[in-house]
Amino acid sequence: MHSVPKISVWQLFAVLLLSRLLTLLTYTTLGAEAMQNGDYFPSAVISVLFILLFSVMLFVQMRWFPQYDLVDIAYYTSPIFSKIISVLYAIFFLFTALETLARLELFVSTVIFPSRQSAFLVIICVVAACYAASLGVEALGRTGAISLGLFVAVFLFIMLAMADKIDFINFSPLLYDGVSPSLSAGLAAATRSAEIMMFSAMLPQVTGNTKKAYGAWLVAFLGSSLAVFFFVFGGLGYFALTQLFPIHAIAVLSELSVFQRFDVLLTGIWILSAFVKISFLLYLVSAHLQKSFRPEWKTRYLAVSGILIAVVQIFFAKNFSDYFYTVGLWQRTVFFAVFAVALPAIVLFAARKKRGGNQNA
C-alpha cells in the first residue's frame, strides 16, 4: 500500500463538527416538520440516537478494519466491486456538496442579495473550493480547525448578546403534541448527517483515537443543538418559526454594548464554513475516484466535479431545491440508510467472510 497524507483525528473532528454545525445553523423552515418549539429539544436528543443507529456499521468498520476505508475493504472481495463502491460514494459526496452549495445559494439570494443574481458567487465558491481541495487534506484540516474556532467565537458572542432577551414564556411545553413530531424531526436531522460517511472515508488518513473523537463529535453536536434551540426560541418564541433562516434572525437582533450587526459576522462565518465543507467533499470525491481509476487525474476529477455542481446549481437550482425540500422523510431515510448502513454492511461482511474471520486488516 502506498503512503497517504494524514491529519490528526481532532482536525477531522473540527472539520466534521463545522460541517454539522453549518447544517444546523442554516436550518430553514422550508419543508420542515411542523411542531411546537419545545419539541425541538427532545428532537435533538432523538437525532443523536438515530445517528448512533445509522453509525452501527461505522463502529463495525472501526473494529474490523480500523486502518481502511470502504473502497480498500471492498478490494479484498473484488477489484471491480471496489470500483463500484468508489463511484457510488463519489456520487454521494458530490450530491452532498451540491446540497451544501444549494443551501448557501438560497441563503445568499434570499437574505443577503435578494434582488441580484447569485451565479457569480456560486462560480467563485466552486473555483475556490476546487483549489482548496487540490491542496490536500492537511491544508483542509488546518483550515477546518481555524474556521471552527472562529465559528464558535462568533456564536458565543451572539448567545451572550441574546442572554438578556431570553423569556421562558416563549417556550411551549415539552412533547405537548406527543412524541411523534420530535421523532420525525430527529430522524430528519439524522438523515442530514453525511459526516458518518465522511468519517468512514477518512479512517485511513487520521492518526489518534477515532472512537473518542467520534464520541466527542456526537456530544458537541448535541450540546450545540440544545444551545441553539434555547437561544433561538427563548429569544424569538414562535416568531422564529416564521423566518426562513431563524438563526440568522437572532443574529440580526443581537447587540452587545457598542457591538452590533452580528449578522454580518455570522454571514461571513457561514460562507467560510460552506467553503470548507464543499472543499472537503470535493476532496473526498477526487480521492475515491483516484483510488479506483487514474490517480494522476486528480485535477481533472476536481474540475469535472466543480463544473458539474456549478452548472446544476446555476441552471437547475429550482429543480434541485424542489426535490430537496419536498421529498418525503421516508424516501430521504431510505436513501441515507443505503449509504450509511446497507452498502457498508455488504462491503464489511463480504470482506470479513472472504478473509476467514480475521479481525485485523
Side-chain angles (χ1 to χ4, degrees):
M1 296 287 292
H2 63 279
S3 62
V4 294
K6 289 183 178 285
I7 59 174
S8 79
V9 73
W10 295 108
Q11 286 179 314
L12 179 62
F13 163 85
V15 171
L16 297 189
L17 182 57
L18 185 73
S19 170
R20 197 60 188 80
L21 289 179
L22 176 69
T23 304
L24 171 67
L25 297 185
T26 53
Y27 167 80
T28 175
T29 51
L30 282 177
E33 179 78 17
M35 62 182 185
Q36 305 292 328
N37 63 41
D39 291 339
Y40 278 83
F41 295 97
S43 77
V45 178
I46 291 171
S47 71
V48 170
L49 295 177
F50 274 122
I51 290 173
L52 281 170
L53 182 62
F54 284 124
S55 301
V56 62
M57 296 317 301
L58 172 61
F59 300 143
V60 173
Q61 180 184 348
M62 286 192 282
R63 179 175 176 80
W64 288 357
F65 303 93
Q67 302 299 322
Y68 295 87
D69 64 13
L70 292 176
V71 177
D72 294 329
I73 299 167
Y75 192 84
Y76 285 112
T77 304
S78 163
I80 296 177
F81 185 40
S82 178
K83 291 180 185 294
I84 294 172
I85 293 299
S86 69
V87 170
L88 287 175
Y89 278 95
I91 292 172
F92 175 83
F93 291 129
L94 194 64
F95 180 85
T96 307
L98 180 56
E99 174 191 324
T100 304
L101 182 63
R103 192 173 288 241
L104 175 64
E105 194 273 339
L106 176 65
F107 174 70
V108 170
S109 63
T110 56
V111 176
I112 305 177
F113 304 119
S115 59
R116 298 185 182 181
Q117 293 291 328
S118 54
F120 181 70
L121 173 70
V122 169
I123 294 172
I124 291 297
C125 181
V126 170
V127 169
C130 287
Y131 174 72
S134 71
L135 296 179
V137 70
E138 302 99 325
L140 291 174
R142 290 191 295 269
T143 304
I146 294 170
S147 300
L148 178 63
L150 293 173
F151 198 118
V152 172
V154 168
F155 200 74
L156 285 176
F157 267 109
I158 292 174
M159 290 193 292
L160 185 61
M162 284 293 295
D164 63 340
K165 300 178 178 65
I166 300 297
D167 190 341
F168 286 91
I169 200 172
N170 287 330
F171 297 108
S172 69
L174 295 179
L175 305 176
Y176 183 78
D177 294 323
V179 73
S180 180
S182 293
L183 279 172
S184 297
L187 179 59
T191 59
R192 291 192 290 269
S193 299
E195 292 76 20
I196 298 172
M197 285 70 85
M198 294 163 71
F199 197 97
S200 170
M202 285 298 298
L203 281 182
Q205 294 182 252
V206 295
T207 59
N209 191 322
T210 53
K211 294 178 182 178
K212 183 183 295 185
Y214 194 74
W217 176 77
L218 284 171
V219 172
F221 167 56
L222 176 59
S224 302
S225 300
L226 295 175
V228 166
F229 295 150
F230 177 80
F231 283 95
V232 168
F233 296 122
L236 301 180
Y238 286 98
F239 177 71
L241 298 177
T242 68
Q243 302 300 296
L244 186 59
F245 292 98
I247 289 84
H248 180 264
I250 68 168
V252 171
L253 295 176
S254 300
E255 58 181 47
L256 183 64
S257 183
V258 297
F259 298 102
Q260 299 181 357
R261 297 308 305 270
F262 283 105
D263 58 308
V264 176
L265 286 175
L266 187 62
T267 296
I269 291 299
W270 276 359
I271 294 175
L272 175 61
S273 303
F275 158 74
V276 172
K277 183 174 183 177
I278 293 170
S279 301
F280 196 77
L281 287 164
L282 290 179
Y283 168 81
L284 290 176
V285 172
S286 177
H288 275 65
L289 296 177
Q290 284 179 270
K291 275 180 175 289
S292 296
F293 301 98
R294 290 179 178 263
E296 67 273 16
W297 283 6
K298 171 184 175 180
T299 304
R300 297 184 188 183
Y301 297 141
L302 289 173
V304 171
S305 299
I307 291 171
L308 184 59
I309 64 173
V311 167
V312 171
Q313 185 56 34
I314 292 172
F315 295 104
F316 305 101
K318 185 179 185 304
N319 304 76
F320 184 77
S321 297
D322 286 348
Y323 166 78
F324 181 69
Y325 292 114
T326 59
V327 67
L329 174 58
W330 289 111
Q331 289 94 319
R332 294 202 310 272
T333 302
V334 170
F335 174 80
F336 186 79
V338 165
F339 287 93
V341 180
L343 284 176
I346 293 171
V347 171
L348 291 169
F349 285 103
R352 175 80 166 181
K353 181 178 179 180
K354 186 164 185 177
R355 295 181 67 248
N358 291 331
Q359 296 235 346
N360 297 316

